[in-house]
Amino acid sequence: MYDYGDDEENTKHYGQSKPPVYDMTSLPNDLPLFLSYGGADALSDANDVHLLLANLKDHSRDKLVVQYQENYAHADFVRAVHGTV
């Protein structure tokens, strides 16, 4: 969750000095999800996505779409100038 950058603020909001981790396995298995990531992303690399996908291993396969674009960076999916990838 959001890290307030201060142990006292985190404790005020979460009751602990570090923000809790999202439990992605608690998402409903039939919730439609679209995950897109790129090979040039400096903020979230392929290892992060593979960890997320491992947490979603029980998710309904027909409700989970994963897209990978080798040359895309973090914001390219929403800011790219090309009509197709």
Side-chain angles (χ1 to χ4, degrees):
M1 294 187 176
Y2 181 75
D3 186 349
Y4 288 89
D6 178 77
D7 289 350
E8 196 171 305
E9 279 297 307
N10 285 332
T11 300
K12 185 167 99 177
H13 291 275
Y14 304 121
Q16 57 193 48
S17 62
K18 302 293 179 204
V21 175
Y22 282 111
D23 179 8
M24 298 304 285
T25 62
S26 68
L27 289 174
N29 286 340
D30 61 347
L31 178 73
L33 293 176
F34 176 75
L35 301 174
S36 57
Y37 67 108
D41 193 333
L43 298 178
S44 177
D45 64 19
N47 292 332
D48 295 334
V49 176
H50 293 180
L51 179 62
L52 173 59
L53 290 171
N55 282 308
L56 296 172
K57 68 182 179 335
D58 294 329
H59 206 81
S60 300
R61 290 294 144 208
D62 63 332
K63 300 289 184 179
L64 177 61
V65 176
V66 180
Q67 176 190 25
Y68 174 76
Q69 295 293 323
E70 178 68 35
N71 296 323
Y72 269 42
H74 196 75
D76 286 348
F77 291 99
V78 294
R79 295 181 26 179
V81 294
H82 301 292
T84 59
V85 290

